[in-house]
Structures are given as structure tokens and as C-alpha cells.
Amino acid sequence: MCIRDRCKESAQCALDEFYPVMERAQQHLQGLTRDDVEELRLSSKPPADLLISAWIFMVLTQPPASLNHTWSTFQRMVGTPTLLIQYMVHYDMGSVPTESVALLKWLFRTVDVDAIVQSTESNKVARAICAWAQNVLCYHQLSSVMVTHREFLKAAQKELVFLVSEAGLSSRHEKWFIDT
């Protein structure tokens, strides 16, 4: 198997992991209503799953240096019920700060976020936020794999061009080596 095929296979494996996570996040987000978010926003003593999901949301939406992890901060950030849903739907997953990704990875190792997403006893908004955060993290890992493959293929192609020119072969031979 050539290098290109191995990279393609590895990338496909990464995509295969990403799609179910993305679909689950979309299902949870589509299932949210204004009333679900309004209930969360008005809660004065939220249960643990809501506090965890609020913290996750703040990690991904505030600059890492300015994190203020309180329930009242989250309630202010949410603003109106539709704002939370719209924010998650239109979130730019490609611009997550490295510090936020590192903090999110640590949080996912510390707290069983998957249990919140899968539990029917967890709050609906908490499940949606946690599924959304899993999607963001999975997307970040997928994009890292793609960048690594792209860099590897670019370096391999440069080396191949050099070797072909050193061997005195024509560009026709170079194309043959790249395509096989």
C-alpha cells in the first residue's frame, strides 16, 4: 500500500469516528426548545450535570484567560433562550484556542461527559451542550489528523521530486511514482 493510500485510509478512519459524534450533537441541538433553555436560565440551584455543561460551554466560548466559571456568568452569557441554541449551531469549530482544547480534553478525562450525553435522567440542555462539546473536540482532533497527513504528503512529494531529479528521470516517471 502506498503512502497516499495509507494517509487516505487513516483520514477515513478519523472521519468515520467524527460523523456519529456530529450526528448525535445535531440530534440533541435540534431537540432543544426555547422552554428547555428558559428553564435552565431561570434555575437558581442547578444540578451537577448542568453546572458541568455550563462550565464546558464557558470553556469553549470565553477567552481562556478571562474564564469566570460561575452559574450567574453562564446565565448572563446565555441571555435569551434562542441565543444559546444559535450560538452552538453557528459556532466556528475551526477557531477554538489551543488552551480551550487542552482544558476541554482535561475536563473530558476528569468528568464522564459521555454519561451525561447518554443519560435520559440528565437535563436536556446539559446533554445537548455536552454532545456539542464532544463534536467540537472530535472536529479539532480530525482537523489535526488532516493537517498532519497533508504535511506528511507534501514532504514525501518533495523528497520524491528530489529523488526523481537525482536519478535523471523525466517528469513522466515522477507522475508514475506519485500516482502509484
Side-chain angles (χ1 to χ4, degrees):
M1 183 183 292
C2 73
I3 293 171
R4 185 183 62 198
D5 289 342
R6 281 186 286 191
C7 286
K8 184 178 175 182
E9 186 178 301
S10 174
Q12 187 60 53
C13 287
L15 280 170
D16 291 345
E17 286 180 33
F18 174 68
Y19 283 125
V21 174
M22 181 186 68
E23 287 172 0
R24 183 171 60 187
Q26 286 175 340
Q27 288 170 351
H28 281 286
L29 288 175
Q30 289 170 351
L32 286 181
T33 65
R34 280 181 59 101
D35 293 339
D36 295 331
V37 179
E38 187 63 23
E39 178 186 332
L40 165 114
R41 213 172 59 77
L42 297 175
S43 176
S44 60
K45 290 198 178 238
D49 60 346
L50 282 176
L51 289 173
I52 292 166
S53 64
W55 200 74
I56 288 170
F57 184 81
M58 289 186 280
V59 164
L60 287 171
T61 57
Q62 289 184 327
S66 68
L67 286 177
N68 179 8
H69 303 97
T70 64
W71 180 248
S72 60
T73 300
F74 175 71
Q75 288 174 311
R76 280 192 306 277
M77 286 177 69
V78 171
T80 62
T82 55
L83 186 62
L84 174 72
I85 297 168
Q86 290 303 312
Y87 195 89
M88 289 189 293
V89 167
H90 299 293
Y91 186 72
D92 181 9
M93 293 189 288
S95 65
V96 181
T98 307
E99 298 88 6
S100 296
V101 171
L103 196 51
L104 194 61
K105 286 180 179 179
W106 172 82
L107 184 59
F108 277 36
R109 284 190 307 269
T110 308
V111 176
D112 190 359
V113 175
D114 206 40
I116 294 172
V117 173
Q118 294 177 2
S119 172
T120 55
E121 293 181 18
S122 291
N123 177 281
K124 199 173 180 182
V125 178
R127 289 193 314 258
I129 291 173
C130 289
W132 168 73
Q134 286 176 323
N135 186 43
V136 170
L137 187 57
C138 193
Y139 176 88
H140 186 272
Q141 292 167 336
L142 174 66
S143 64
S144 297
V145 167
M146 297 304 176
V147 167
T148 303
H149 286 350
R150 206 173 298 126
E151 290 170 355
F152 179 74
L153 287 172
K154 197 179 287 185
Q157 190 167 11
K158 280 183 183 179
E159 185 177 342
L160 182 60
V161 168
F162 172 76
L163 292 172
V164 167
S165 67
E166 286 292 305
L169 299 172
S170 69
S171 61
R172 186 185 82 217
H173 291 98
E174 178 183 321
K175 181 166 177 24
W176 182 83
F177 281 116
I178 291 173
D179 289 341
T180 57

